[in-house]
Amino acid sequence: MTLTTDAGHLVGQLVTPAGRERPYPLYQQLHAHGQAAEIPGGLVLVCGHAEAVAALRDPRLAVEDAAWLDRIFPAWREHPSRVLLNNSMVFVNGRDHEQMRCLVSRTFTARRVDELRPAIARRVNSLLDRLADLGGGGAAVEYMAEFAFLMPLNVICDLLGVPEADRVGFREPIASLAAVIEPGSLNTDLSAADRAAEELAGYFAGLIADRRSHPRTDLLTAMTSVNDRADRPLSEECLVANAIFLLLAGFESTIGLLGNGLMLLLERPAALARLRACPQEAPAFVEEMLRCEAPVQLTGRRASAGTEVGGIDVPAGGSVIVLMGAANRDPRRFADPDRFDPDRPDNQPLSFGGGVHYCLGARLARLEAQVAFPLLLRRFPRVALAGTPIHLDRLNLRAYATLLLTLT
């Protein structure tokens, strides 16, 4: 199916500032045109849930790796930001991806994540104390900076073993590096992202060297030790890149979840009151937050061999964009998809992707949100908006830039 002129215009609207801020009405209109569509120029767009699942699991649809960049952006190796990302598992396929993922999954285990619950609760309560001080007397508090950023940053840094004194300086370089993942970033100025990549790579190379000399019980020590003993160890550049990727993935999506989820509750007082009264329902609430307002809205694939997506033939070398945010609102899969409903049966959002590139940090992000929201709502029973929220100007990584609250 080829998009009509009107539907093609909808795709163009998605990348405008207004479309990035409010993509869901556009997703709704795209569903009316079909669950997968071919856009003039050879790009296939997937917005249906079943079609997205199939595409994410299709072994012939690979992530946009070095070979893909060589074709569309031959100068990519001149940019440290792209080199760093393409040395991590997020933009690698085949055996190299399997090797990198195996290294991380052997150390970043479900058990290690689940054991973090008490530490996460302590971090949350400490930051809530800080919010209470900042918001004393009814003063407005900037929730994104003072909680949604600091909580997941400290959790992933605790896990990796990053010294506490070094963490505050990560905010700007991580934001600059994350911008490279946005659609169209290859056509923008990458100088800030390149500086950030060099800064972070230098820092983590030094930290890894220190862990070799002075092992600890942290994840970075475990990754370095397992890699150094492997029959086919990763290069130092790849080890550093994957450590930085864990930092980025470990809190960037959680920031979005904590902000997007709180706004969903503030806009629905009955749901907020219910979660406050029934904290044991947090897992169901978090899944519905992920479905309604996915922190990661899309992912790209290229066809390593000819395949088919939603009835559309994709030739070798063809490109596919999976709109996970749209798939999460597919009316064929979710009844009344624009309604927030934590009682939704068989709720399986695609917010963390799928297939072999399923997000390794999904379990941690869910756990952090499941711990944080009940504690926050119980601590501040009169939490309310103190101004108009402002979204970051992004389509892929969806989050708020500012979210002002009053707490008393």
Side-chain angles (χ1 to χ4, degrees), residues 131-395:
L131 288 183
D133 290 340
L134 292 172
V141 175
E142 212 297 279
Y143 169 81
M144 297 305 297
E146 301 296 344
F147 185 84
F149 172 78
L150 291 175
M151 193 275 278
L153 173 67
N154 279 297
V155 169
I156 192 61
C157 284
D158 286 344
L159 187 61
L160 285 167
V162 175
E164 195 142 358
D166 297 342
R167 301 173 187 182
V168 175
F170 284 160
R171 181 166 194 168
E172 185 174 334
I174 284 292
S176 297
L177 190 59
V180 180
I181 303 173
E182 283 295 300
S185 66
L186 296 180
N187 299 317
T188 63
D189 181 3
L190 296 177
S191 56
D194 290 342
R195 289 192 299 271
E198 291 177 325
E199 177 184 340
L200 290 167
Y203 177 83
F204 273 90
L207 203 57
I208 287 170
D210 178 76
R211 292 302 182 269
R212 284 196 176 100
S213 302
H214 306 94
R216 302 186 184 182
T217 59
D218 55 50
L219 182 59
L220 199 57
T221 298
M223 285 176 57
T224 303
S225 177
V226 168
N227 186 63
D228 289 350
R229 297 195 310 267
D231 293 335
R232 184 174 172 253
L234 298 180
S235 68
E236 199 70 5
E237 292 78 12
C238 287
L239 183 60
V240 167
N242 279 285
I244 295 170
F245 167 68
L246 281 178
L247 173 68
L248 175 63
F251 81 91
E252 189 69 34
S253 59
T254 311
I255 293 171
L257 173 56
L258 292 173
N260 299 344
L262 183 60
M263 267 303 299
L264 285 166
L265 294 176
L266 291 171
E267 292 170 340
R268 296 161 179 82
L272 186 151
R274 174 178 162 184
L275 180 55
R276 178 183 287 128
C278 306
Q280 70 277 8
E281 295 185 13
F285 272 76
V286 169
E287 287 308 294
E288 184 66 347
M289 292 169 181
L290 287 167
R291 189 194 68 80
C292 284
E293 282 277 14
V296 180
Q297 290 279 308
L298 60 89
T299 186
R301 295 289 188 270
R302 64 170 184 85
S304 58
T307 186
E308 174 268 333
V309 176
I312 300 172
D313 290 330
V314 182
S319 294
V320 175
I321 297 293
V322 181
L323 287 172
M324 299 179 296
N328 285 343
R329 296 193 180 212
D330 182 354
R332 298 183 310 161
R333 175 62 175 79
F334 301 103
D336 195 5
D338 294 328
R339 179 168 59 91
F340 181 82
D341 179 10
D343 297 319
R344 193 176 293 280
D346 190 30
N347 194 6
Q348 297 182 26
L350 296 180
S351 308
F352 293 110
V356 297
H357 279 88
Y358 181 76
C359 178
L360 275 172
R363 191 181 190 92
L364 179 59
R366 285 185 166 102
L367 178 60
E368 289 178 84
Q370 290 166 12
V371 172
F373 283 120
L375 291 176
L376 185 150
L377 297 179
R378 184 179 65 189
R379 180 68 178 271
F380 302 118
R382 290 184 292 278
V383 60
L385 283 175
T388 302
I390 299 174
H391 273 109
L392 288 169
D393 187 21
R394 296 175 179 174
L395 175 59

Side-chain angles (χ1 to χ4, degrees), residues 10-27 182-184 188 293 297-298 391-399:
L10 293 174
V11 176
Q13 286 182 283
L14 276 173
V15 296
T16 65
R20 288 192 290 266
E21 183 170 359
R22 297 187 69 248
Y24 302 116
L26 298 173
Y27 291 163
E182 283 295 300
T188 63
E293 282 277 14
Q297 290 279 308
L298 60 89
H391 273 109
L392 288 169
D393 187 21
R394 296 175 179 174
L395 175 59
N396 189 14
L397 297 176
R398 184 165 174 81

